[in-house]
Amino acid sequence: MEIKRFGYYWLDTWVLANVIQLATQDFCHKFLNRSNDPCGRQYDQMTQAARSAPANIAEGNSRHSTSKETEMRLTDVARATLAELSNDFLNWLMRQEQVPWSVHSQEYIQVSAVRLEKPLYQDDVQYQSSIHILRQKHLFDTWLQSDDSIVVANCILVLCNRLTLMLNKQIERLLATFREEGGFTEALTQERLAYRADQSRQDAAPQCPQCGKPMIKRMARKGINSGKEFWSCSSYPQCNGTRKVE
């Protein structure tokens, strides 16, 4: 039951998104003030963008069993808001006449080398996952606890880049599954066809004269036979075979 309710808690993307959210909130609280953000709009925009990433990952994964289309769409929204947040940190650096760390720089390589630990939740998922997220955040304390906003912004920017790559792979996996299994609409169609076939067996229905599949009773909605029952192929609209009801 816990796994079904909190399946997204095991996703590394959701864990890292929470780390980024916490780090962004700390950054805004520590470095934004009335002088550089007089109306507080930058604070609101950055914290809301940071919140959107884990929120949409969670909501998307919660729809995994009912709609893969929705799951992919919400995961893509998380990726888009992450791009917005990255641009905010990039803008902060350039406002300070700074540029982001090069991917070849020692700092970038060091942050990138920090690996997330695997979650080991048992019977108290929310409690244990909160401990896990905080522990992962502390893995980056060397940079996130700095008093230099340039260092903190660069570190979060590296984490945003990493999460974007992780979300790209997650969406690719979802798309591959969708290609193989279909989505919510396809599942409903299969359920409906199965129900029709079962219904036709119970009614001792005749076989379709065109394809040989069992038929089901329908009622004409228009035309000269409106209101009258007739036999229709259970695989309609793929097959439009009909018979009269004796």
Side-chain angles (χ1 to χ4, degrees):
M1 179 61 71
E2 289 288 288
I3 293 178
K4 291 182 179 180
R5 285 180 58 201
F6 306 118
Y8 55 88
Y9 281 43
W10 276 262
L11 291 175
D12 285 339
T13 50
W14 182 78
V15 171
L16 184 55
N18 274 278
V19 170
I20 291 173
Q21 181 184 7
L22 291 169
T24 300
Q25 290 168 333
D26 290 345
F27 177 92
C28 292
H29 181 74
K30 187 173 183 179
F31 298 112
L32 296 184
N33 51 54
R34 291 186 179 275
S35 175
N36 56 35
D37 187 26
C39 298
R41 291 182 180 177
Q42 190 71 22
Y43 187 107
D44 291 341
Q45 290 172 355
M46 293 180 70
T47 54
Q48 286 300 313
R51 175 193 175 279
S52 179
N56 279 286
I57 292 171
E59 185 178 356
N61 183 260
S62 297
R63 298 294 302 276
H64 178 78
S65 61
T66 56
S67 177
K68 293 181 178 64
E69 302 99 312
T70 301
E71 183 179 12
M72 283 190 289
R73 184 165 56 252
L74 290 172
T75 305
D76 186 52
V77 171
R79 181 172 60 178
T81 57
L82 197 63
E84 178 185 347
L85 182 62
S86 296
N87 284 331
D88 285 333
F89 280 110
L90 185 61
N91 176 260
W92 174 269
L93 292 173
M94 291 189 291
R95 284 172 63 187
Q96 319 303 318
E97 294 293 326
Q98 298 290 326
V99 295
W101 291 335
S102 166
V103 295
H104 306 293
S105 67
Q106 183 179 2
E107 295 88 350
Y108 194 104
I109 294 173
Q110 287 177 339
V111 174
S112 300
V114 178
R115 300 289 92 187
L116 296 180
E117 301 167 344
K118 290 295 181 183
L120 299 174
Y121 313 142
Q122 296 178 357
D123 60 341
D124 197 347
V125 176
Q126 286 186 323
Y127 171 78
Q128 293 172 342
S129 65
S130 298
I131 295 175
H132 177 68
I133 291 169
L134 290 174
R135 184 183 298 126
Q136 306 319 296
K137 179 175 178 289
H138 290 316
L139 294 175
F140 303 95
D141 276 351
T142 300
W143 305 277
L144 295 180
Q145 294 299 318
S146 174
D147 292 326
D148 187 347
S149 69
I150 305 302
V151 173
V152 181
N154 266 295
C155 177
I156 299 177
L157 195 55
V158 174
L159 296 182
C160 287
N161 292 341
R162 179 192 295 190
L163 181 55
T164 298
L165 293 175
M166 293 167 65
L167 289 174
N168 288 343
K169 293 180 180 179
Q170 185 171 326
I171 292 174
E172 288 175 2
R173 289 194 297 269
L174 291 172
L175 185 58
T177 302
F178 179 78
R179 290 193 184 108
E180 293 178 4
E181 302 176 5
F184 189 49
T185 302
E186 291 83 353
L188 287 179
T189 300
Q190 292 300 322
E191 287 289 335
R192 186 169 65 252
L193 292 176
Y195 172 76
R196 287 178 179 177
D198 183 64
Q199 185 184 46
S200 65
R201 285 191 293 270
Q202 294 179 11
D203 293 342
Q207 291 183 333
C208 175
Q210 293 189 22
C211 69
K213 292 184 178 179
M215 308 187 81
I216 61 174
K217 282 184 180 180
R218 295 180 182 274
M219 183 173 291
R221 298 181 180 179
K222 56 185 178 180
I224 60 175
N225 294 317
S226 178
K228 295 182 180 180
E229 288 187 329
F230 68 98
W231 290 108
S232 172
C233 182
S234 59
S235 64
Y236 177 85
Q238 285 74 25
C239 177
N240 59 0
T242 61
R243 282 180 181 273
K244 292 183 178 180
V245 173
E246 300 297 336

